[in-house]
Amino acid sequence: MIRFLEISNQTLFWYYLASNLAYLAMLIIALKTSAMHQHRLESHRLSWFKDTPMTPPITIIAPAHNEEASIRVSIRNLLALDYPELEIIVVNDGSQDRTLEELCDEFRLRRVRAVYVSVTKCAPVRGLYRSDVHSNLLVIDKKAAGSKSDAINAGLNAATSPYVCVVDADSVLERDALLRIMVPILEDPKRVVAVGGIVRVLNGSELVKGQLRRARLPRKSIEVIQVIEYLRAFLIGREAWAQGNMLTIISGAFGVFRTDLVRAVGGYRANSIGEDMDLVARLHRHLREKRTDYQIRFVPDPMCWTEAPSDFRSLARQRARWQKGLLDVLWPNRDMLFRPLYGRIGCFAFPYLWLFELFAPVLETLGIITIILAAILGFLSREFFLQFLIFGYAFATVISIGSVLQEEITYKRYNDWKDVVRLVSYCFFEHFPYRQLHMTWRLQGLWQYLRGDHEWKPLKRKGLLSATAG
């Protein structure tokens, strides 16, 4: 028994150390790539991209299900984006509230007869609507199929542009976000097939006529913790993985893809739980099997602001769903592991996701249980516990603080010094007790998936109107 506890505790210690060292390496890479990106932007003029006829058209697809509290603000925001040629397709995915009525009232929609070809499979379409005041706005009204993927496929069938941008209907893009996210594509259109932008927490900020007027830190502690999570995930994780062309997820809230490639892989998988990660994995597989020279990039400055859950029940459901989505992608693609055909994705990115993302809640829970047992039985040494605190808690906290300071030094979205101080102070609570709560939610997600519960449970949201001022 004593030997088992010692081995378990040492395993958890080395697991935490390896995980934090990986994050430290990502932080260093992210700092370097951020500096390179800022230097590269100095040689580009976004106004030139806006005015030149060489800038390719984009179709924005915004799936909406029961978004009556956000849909007016969100679509006004999309219509006001700075981009030369833009098509906006809103997919009303069987909403049971007034989403379609809100769209009809705000944008003067009229029903039209048009040819609609189902290139990718989706639920039946009930009607097409065109705006009388915005000729580039099309609304597709369809039956609900229970998945966001199905709604995106319906929009993909109607898209006429060489690039599609998928945006959540409860999110807000900064005015120049599309111009910024297209920079890698305009630099290398043959190789860059997809680009992800950064997603930030909107809670606490102010909107005016669909535009972000002032970025402020949320008031609720549960929302502030999520700000730190997003900074770690985007400014450290995704930026570092993209540098090695090993990015495995482009957020469903904001990403640009080559339309022909998305259609070539069959569109979004209709029954996928994590549709954003699933699409990127299938793109990697498709392009690696064809031995195509390609890149999937991440750009850290085109901002998408989205409403984060503000209560524990909704947050628990969201994180459980994310964990189910991760397993739903990794298991069908398990044949890619350690196969030379799939290069860095199969040899580095996917093994990391299996070990440090999918199995993390299981390993950490077992490790914490054995540490508690060792302490109760009197077998927990003071030296080991001190090392565990230093490398498991303090090390991870320093990395979180580093991600916050990187954001403040580089992008400075929070201009109030009180917000920055408050954000740094919350870094000390991210790994205890929040990490343990998060671990429990992820375990619930794994259990739900294994027992066949693949449903997306609804989240409680306030809507974008709650952030509107003036």
Side-chain angles (χ1 to χ4, degrees):
M1 181 64 176
I2 298 176
R3 183 60 179 163
F4 169 76
L5 293 176
E6 288 178 350
I7 293 174
S8 177
N9 292 346
Q10 288 295 329
T11 300
L12 181 64
F13 169 77
W14 289 109
Y15 179 80
Y16 266 129
L17 181 60
S19 176
N20 289 329
L21 285 175
Y23 258 106
L24 179 62
M26 291 181 201
L27 176 61
I28 295 172
I29 294 172
L31 289 170
K32 180 181 178 181
T33 54
S34 289
M36 292 170 56
H37 179 70
Q38 292 294 324
H39 179 71
R40 187 165 59 248
L41 279 180
E42 293 177 0
S43 62
H44 294 296
R45 291 185 179 181
L46 295 181
S47 59
W48 183 85
F49 292 145
K50 180 181 177 181
D51 298 332
T52 177
M54 297 177 62
T55 304
I58 293 179
T59 295
I60 293 182
I61 301 175
H65 178 72
N66 294 339
E67 298 287 355
E68 65 177 1
S70 302
I71 197 68
R72 289 180 184 243
V73 178
S74 178
I75 305 307
R76 281 202 302 264
N77 167 260
L78 297 180
L79 290 167
L81 292 175
D82 283 337
Y83 201 79
E85 192 171 345
L86 195 60
E87 176 185 47
I88 298 172
I89 299 177
V90 182
V91 183
N92 179 44
D93 188 29
S95 298
Q96 297 174 342
D97 61 0
R98 285 183 47 81
T99 298
L100 184 58
E101 288 78 2
E102 293 287 330
L103 287 167
C104 289
D105 293 344
E106 179 72 16
F107 303 107
R108 292 170 55 188
L109 300 182
R110 58 180 171 83
R111 189 160 184 160
V112 296
R113 292 184 178 181
V115 177
Y116 180 86
V117 181
S118 295
V119 180
T120 55
K121 293 182 180 180
C122 66
V125 171
R126 295 183 293 206
L128 302 177
Y129 297 82
R130 181 73 68 177
S131 171
D132 283 335
V133 289
H134 301 282
S135 59
N136 61 335
L137 175 60
L138 174 70
V139 175
I140 300 175
D141 182 35
K142 63 178 285 291
K143 292 184 178 180
S147 74
K148 179 181 173 183
S149 302
D150 190 85
I152 299 174
N153 282 343
L156 187 65
N157 289 332
T160 61
S161 306
Y163 292 93
V164 291
C165 176
V166 180
V167 178
D168 281 348
D170 59 352
S171 300
V172 170
L173 300 183
E174 293 191 355
R175 199 178 190 97
D176 61 353
L178 280 183
L179 291 171
R180 290 181 178 275
I181 202 172
M182 288 296 288
V183 167
I185 292 175
L186 294 169
E187 288 179 337
D188 194 354
K190 291 185 178 180
R191 297 178 64 212
V192 179
V193 300
V195 184
I198 190 168
V199 178
R200 303 288 292 271
V201 174
L202 178 63
N203 307 45
S205 299
E206 296 177 3
L207 296 176
V208 176
K209 296 182 180 180
Q211 300 298 319
L212 184 75
R213 183 173 76 173
R214 187 179 185 187
R216 294 295 304 270
L217 204 61
R219 293 183 179 181
K220 284 189 174 182
S221 298
I222 189 175
E223 298 170 343
V224 178
I225 287 289
Q226 291 176 78
V227 174
I228 299 171
E229 279 189 297
Y230 276 55
L231 291 177
R232 279 172 63 101
F234 286 94
L235 286 184
I236 295 181
R238 297 187 190 181
E239 192 165 2
W241 285 112
Q243 185 67 12
N245 198 24
M246 293 183 285
L247 189 63
T248 56
I249 182 171
I250 290 178
S251 175
F254 187 31
V256 172
F257 303 88
R258 248 177 55 186
T259 308
D260 62 327
L261 281 177
V262 179
R263 288 172 175 163
V265 299
Y268 284 73
R269 183 162 60 93
N271 59 348
S272 63
I273 302 174
E275 79 290 332
D276 43 9
M277 186 178 185
D278 180 78
L279 176 65
V280 175
R282 288 189 295 119
L283 285 174
H284 277 299
R285 176 189 286 273
H286 175 78
L287 293 166
R288 293 291 307 184
E289 288 175 352
K290 288 190 172 295
R291 289 177 165 80
T292 303
D293 184 18
Y294 73 98
Q295 284 190 345
I296 295 179
R297 301 278 295 275
F298 172 80
V299 187
D301 58 337
M303 297 290 178
C304 172
W305 296 83
T306 190
E307 182 186 356
S310 57
D311 63 280
F312 280 99
R313 185 179 183 184
S314 295
L315 182 58
R317 286 181 171 181
Q318 184 190 65
R319 299 314 159 90
R321 185 177 71 195
W322 288 0
Q323 194 71 7
K324 287 191 286 186
L326 177 63
L327 179 54
D328 190 55
V329 171
L330 292 181
W331 182 249
N333 292 291
R334 60 191 182 279
D335 61 316
M336 294 175 66
L337 283 171
F338 304 114
R339 289 185 61 186
L341 173 63
Y342 300 107
R344 300 174 184 177
I345 298 298
C347 295
F348 295 101
F350 274 13
Y352 176 90
L353 291 175
W354 276 94
L355 183 60
F356 293 109
E357 296 293 342
L358 185 66
F359 290 149
V362 178
L363 296 174
E364 290 182 26
T365 300
L366 293 175
I368 290 174
I369 291 173
T370 57
I371 287 178
I372 293 174
L373 283 175
I376 293 174
L377 298 174
F379 301 139
L380 185 65
S381 69
R382 185 176 301 175
E383 291 78 10
F384 169 80
F385 188 67
L386 181 62
Q387 291 176 351
F388 181 79
L389 287 179
I390 293 174
F391 292 102
Y393 172 76
F395 198 173
T397 301
V398 168
I399 293 173
S400 293
I401 294 174
S403 64
V404 171
L405 294 180
Q406 180 196 2
E407 191 282 335
E408 182 57 23
I409 294 171
T410 310
Y411 304 107
K412 299 179 181 179
R413 282 300 189 268
Y414 298 110
N415 294 319
D416 192 333
W417 67 270
K418 294 180 182 178
D419 284 347
V420 178
V421 171
R422 188 160 165 251
L423 198 56
V424 170
S425 67
Y426 271 88
C427 292
F428 292 93
F429 301 100
E430 185 194 5
H431 297 278
F432 183 83
Y434 177 73
R435 185 183 180 99
Q436 289 67 43
L437 277 174
H438 190 253
M439 193 167 52
T440 304
W441 300 331
R442 292 166 69 186
L443 280 174
Q444 290 175 352
L446 289 176
W447 172 246
Q448 290 168 4
Y449 185 88
L450 293 175
R451 72 179 187 182
D453 179 6
H454 300 168
E455 292 184 2
W456 281 45
K457 296 179 174 62
L459 307 182
K460 182 181 178 182
R461 296 186 182 275
K462 298 178 181 177
L464 297 182
L465 289 178
S466 63
T468 301

